[in-house]
Every structure is written in structure tokens, then in C-alpha cells.
Amino acid sequence: MQFTISQRFYFDAAHTLQREIEAAGSRRIHGHTYHAEVSVSGPRDPANGMVLDLGFLRLRLEAVREQLDHHLLDEVPDLGTPTLENLCTFIATQLADVHPPVNRVRVWRDALGDSCVLDVL
């Protein structure tokens, strides 16, 4: 049997973005509350009944959150342009050594109704 477990976190951050639509507001420094969910899939370990200890995943996500929360995303090393797509990729990359591996990262902004899902293959 295959199980999928997930853990969510949020962070508040500012950024700028160069774009064609809604350009004026996007070019100025502005902020959002972002939400992220990370999923891991695999079989249960027969010894403990878990795919992955969620406490371990929470610790790892807190380390990722610290890199993003109350930061100017334009200045976060290895993030690139602060898009939802790049945030998904950044989070997945920060968790590349988790086992079983992260198979999905979702980042969204409730206030705007925007979201992005990265299915890690």
C-alpha cells in the first residue's frame, strides 16, 4: 500500500515582479501571506507504522520557512524570480534529501486565489 502524508506551513514575505499585466503594483515592493504544502508518498514502515515521522518533516519545513518568512524574496539565495513556480521549486530543492522523497509541493495565496503545484517526478 502507498500512503501520502503532507504538512503545511505559511510565511509572510515581500517581493517585486517584472510583468506586463498589473505591472505598476507588481514592480513596487509588496507583500503576501503564502501557504505551502509538502507531500511525501511511500509505504508504511512496518516498525513504526509511518511513511515519515511528521515531526521530522515539521523540523525541515521550519528551516525552509525561516529562509522565506519576513524576507524580501528578491534577495533569497537560489530562489530566482519570486514566482509561485520558483517558490515550489525552491522548497522542493531544500528538501531534496528527505526520504522518502517529496513528491508534491503546493504554494498558494488565499487572498488572491493563486496557486501552483509542483509534482516532483
Side-chain angles (χ1 to χ4, degrees), residues 4-96:
T4 299
I5 60 170
S6 62
Q7 183 66 50
R8 292 181 180 178
F9 69 100
Y10 74 94
F11 58 97
D12 296 306
H15 72 121
T16 63
L17 198 58
Q18 301 298 316
R19 53 193 293 209
E20 299 297 320
I21 297 175
E22 301 171 351
S26 294
R27 288 187 180 121
R28 289 190 302 270
I29 295 174
H30 62 283
H32 303 283
T33 296
Y34 294 88
H35 300 269
E37 181 175 45
V38 173
S39 300
V40 175
S41 295
R44 286 179 298 148
D45 180 329
N48 64 22
M50 295 183 269
V51 173
L52 175 67
D53 187 323
L54 284 170
F56 173 76
L57 188 55
R58 273 191 289 278
L59 283 174
R60 293 300 305 276
L61 294 180
E62 183 57 31
V64 174
R65 184 178 186 274
E66 287 177 9
Q67 295 178 70
L68 302 170
D69 190 42
H70 287 86
H71 281 56
L72 178 60
L73 297 179
D74 303 58
E75 298 173 352
V76 173
D78 302 319
L79 175 60
T81 304
T83 62
L84 293 175
E85 295 87 345
N86 284 343
L87 283 165
C88 285
T89 302
F90 177 83
I91 293 167
T93 300
Q94 295 300 305
L95 302 170

